[in-house]
Amino acid sequence: MVTGTVVSGLDDVGVHVDLDVDLDVDLHVDGKRGRPLGFLRVPEMSWEHFDDLDRVAPIGRRIRAEVLDVDLERERVSLSVKALHPDPWRPFADTHRIGYSLPGVITRIIAFGVFVRLAPGVEGMVHTSELPDRTFESGDEVRATLLDVDLRRRRISLALDG
């Protein structure tokens, strides 16, 4: 585990993190010896879906992360914040069975369906073929029936109740 400060961001890719500690490798930044620069990719920031990188990792934010890899050629340390937290999908799959009806909140509307947050870090999708004849908006509270849980592909299929 390391700590550091977000120093720059690449909107849809990730952020660079100035690490607080010297690692036991010979890395340097911009041709000068110094602390290594870490890189935190968007998928490694959180188990939960988010649309705004500045909300999760704004410049100046202090973070704790796990080192995933040290790439000596690229002089980069790959980081993960979500590795410090348990995967929320496994306990969800262990406690919810096909056919369960549960509450959720619509988080995204896409051309072929809607995503529903079922628990922190766990979202499922309702395909348009399973949607009732009405319109939805992000933030709408709904009840959904669990049709399928695919842990390997991290996909949950749902049907909206009523």
Side-chain angles (χ1 to χ4, degrees):
M1 198 223 21
V2 294
T3 58
T5 304
V6 175
V7 293
S8 67
L10 304 169
D11 291 333
D12 57 347
V13 179
V15 295
H16 291 102
V17 179
D18 182 18
L19 300 176
D20 293 338
V21 297
D22 293 325
L23 298 177
D24 293 331
V25 293
D26 185 20
L27 291 179
H28 57 277
V29 179
D30 296 331
K32 301 174 189 164
R33 293 222 174 267
R35 294 190 309 223
L37 191 62
F39 191 71
L40 176 60
R41 294 180 53 238
V42 168
E44 293 299 327
M45 290 182 183
S46 176
W47 287 108
E48 293 192 41
H49 172 78
F50 60 90
D51 291 321
D52 185 6
L53 182 62
D54 285 335
R55 182 179 63 81
V56 177
I59 293 174
R61 173 160 292 166
R62 302 277 305 146
I63 64 159
R64 280 183 341 131
E66 183 175 304
V67 174
L68 296 179
D69 183 52
V70 177
D71 184 340
L72 295 174
E73 276 186 33
R74 293 173 57 199
E75 298 179 348
R76 180 174 289 167
V77 178
S78 296
L79 305 172
S80 174
V81 170
K82 78 179 192 180
L84 298 177
H85 306 282
D87 181 351
W89 279 60
R90 183 134 333 263
F92 181 87
D94 290 344
T95 58
H96 295 83
R97 299 287 174 237
I98 303 304
Y100 274 26
S101 176
L102 56 157
V105 176
I106 292 180
T107 58
R108 289 177 283 158
I109 300 167
I110 56 176
F112 51 88
V114 298
F115 282 92
V116 178
R117 181 183 312 114
L118 304 169
V122 179
E123 289 188 1
M125 193 190 87
V126 182
H127 189 270
T128 52
S129 64
E130 299 291 342
L131 285 171
D133 254 356
R134 66 177 250 228
T135 58
F136 295 94
E137 294 182 18
S138 288
D140 285 352
E141 294 182 9
V142 296
R143 284 202 69 82
T145 298
L146 201 55
L147 300 178
D148 186 46
V149 177
D150 184 339
L151 278 175
R152 187 182 59 76
R153 293 172 55 200
R154 298 185 72 80
R155 293 186 179 175
I156 296 174
S157 298
L158 303 167
L160 289 186
D161 298 349

